[in-house]
């Protein structure tokens, strides 16, 4: 896979905030609302209030340097939908397609420090994918636990029991997405473990 520089917290905040502002400007212009004349409207409204597409999930994975099939596997494991705010037993909520937990928006957490808003993450599907890809990259870089799939499943939980349950689902979905992407998007690089026996599942 082509290596991509991981965005820092500040760079992520600026990039996503700018993209959201641009998406709002495009929507306002389409609705006939006056907007800043310096804005560029020729770009696709990627971060608008609509569900994520396969293409924008692949783009987010590539920008953040994570395997698209694993990011899509997370979406399938989370089973979220655009606009979802699913309440957990600990009163936190899982937002959008990728079930991004609101603990990431508590004071001192990177998303909170970056000024990223839960409302945008919940309702802007491609934005949700971008933040999910960034969180996945953090876990893959941290390498907490044994092997790639444990690191990837840390997206959901670092507790060994919960990680193991999630990991099984994630491997299955990621392999399914990998086969699908090879057929539909052959130019996309996917993660294929050298041997399923060589890693903890």
């Amino acid at each position: 896979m082509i290596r991509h520089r991981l965005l820092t917290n500040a760079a992520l905040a600026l990039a996503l905030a700018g993209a959201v502002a641009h998406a709002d400007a495009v929507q306002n212009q389409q609705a006939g609302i006056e907007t800043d004349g310096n804005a560029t409207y020729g770009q696709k409204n990627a971060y608008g209030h609509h569900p994520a597409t396969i293409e924008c999930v692949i783009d987010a994975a590539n920008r953040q340097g994570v395997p698209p099939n694993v990011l899509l596997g997370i979406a399938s494991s989370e089973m979220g939908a655009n606009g979802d705010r699913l309440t957990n037993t600990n009163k936190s909520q899982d937002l959008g397609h990728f079930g991004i937990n609101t603990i990431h928006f508590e004071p001192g957490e990177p998303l909170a420090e970056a000024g990223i808003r839960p409302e945008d993450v919940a309702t802007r599907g491609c934005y949700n994918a971008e933040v999910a890809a960034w969180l996945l990259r953090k876990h893959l870089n941290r390498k907490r636990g044994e092997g790639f799939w444990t690191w990837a499943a840390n997206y959901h939980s670092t507790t060994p029991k919960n990680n193991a349950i999630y990991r099984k689902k994630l491997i299955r979905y990621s392999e399914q997405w990998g086969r699908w992407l090879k057929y539909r998007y052959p130019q996309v690089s996917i993660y294929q473990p050298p041997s399923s026996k060589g890693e903890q599942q």
Side-chain angles (χ1 to χ4, degrees), residues 5-200:
R5 185 175 62 82
L6 177 65
L7 293 175
T8 63
N9 291 351
L12 177 73
L14 289 172
L16 294 182
V20 166
H22 173 73
D24 285 339
V26 171
Q27 287 179 333
N28 288 344
Q29 188 190 51
Q30 290 170 347
I33 300 169
E34 290 295 326
T35 55
D36 182 357
N38 295 322
T40 302
Y41 300 114
Q43 301 173 15
K44 183 180 177 182
N45 185 10
Y47 289 143
H49 293 279
H50 51 69
T53 62
I54 295 291
E55 289 78 10
C56 82
V57 175
I58 292 171
D59 287 346
N62 288 335
R63 274 190 296 273
Q64 298 299 330
V66 299
N69 61 311
V70 177
L71 187 59
L72 287 162
I74 286 174
S76 294
S77 299
E78 295 292 337
M79 296 188 296
N82 196 46
D84 273 358
R85 294 176 181 83
L86 305 178
T87 303
N88 300 305
T89 54
N90 64 359
K91 306 301 182 187
S92 68
Q93 290 187 317
D94 292 335
L95 307 177
H97 295 292
F98 290 85
I100 295 172
N101 195 280
T102 50
I103 61 169
H104 296 297
F105 300 93
E106 291 176 356
E109 291 294 322
L111 297 185
E113 294 294 314
I116 293 169
R117 301 187 311 159
E119 175 66 21
D120 289 322
V121 171
T123 61
R124 300 174 186 268
C126 294
Y127 190 77
N128 187 274
E130 191 79 44
V131 173
W134 184 77
L135 290 170
L136 175 60
R137 178 76 266 165
K138 283 187 64 186
H139 288 295
L140 294 180
N141 282 347
R142 192 172 292 151
K143 299 183 179 179
R144 180 176 175 182
E146 295 182 23
F148 176 89
W149 290 113
T150 300
W151 308 335
N154 284 339
Y155 176 95
H156 175 75
S157 177
T158 57
T159 304
K161 180 181 177 181
N162 295 337
N163 183 288
I165 294 168
Y166 190 83
R167 187 166 66 238
K168 287 181 181 178
K169 289 193 300 184
L170 179 58
I171 291 170
R172 184 175 71 251
Y173 286 130
S174 297
E175 288 176 345
Q176 290 171 357
W177 276 112
R179 290 191 293 272
W180 188 87
L181 287 169
K182 276 178 124 177
Y183 177 70
R184 295 293 183 94
Y185 296 85
Q187 75 282 7
V188 171
S189 296
I190 62 172
Y191 178 75
Q192 294 178 298
S195 168
S196 59
K197 294 179 182 177
E199 286 200 74
Q200 222 179 29

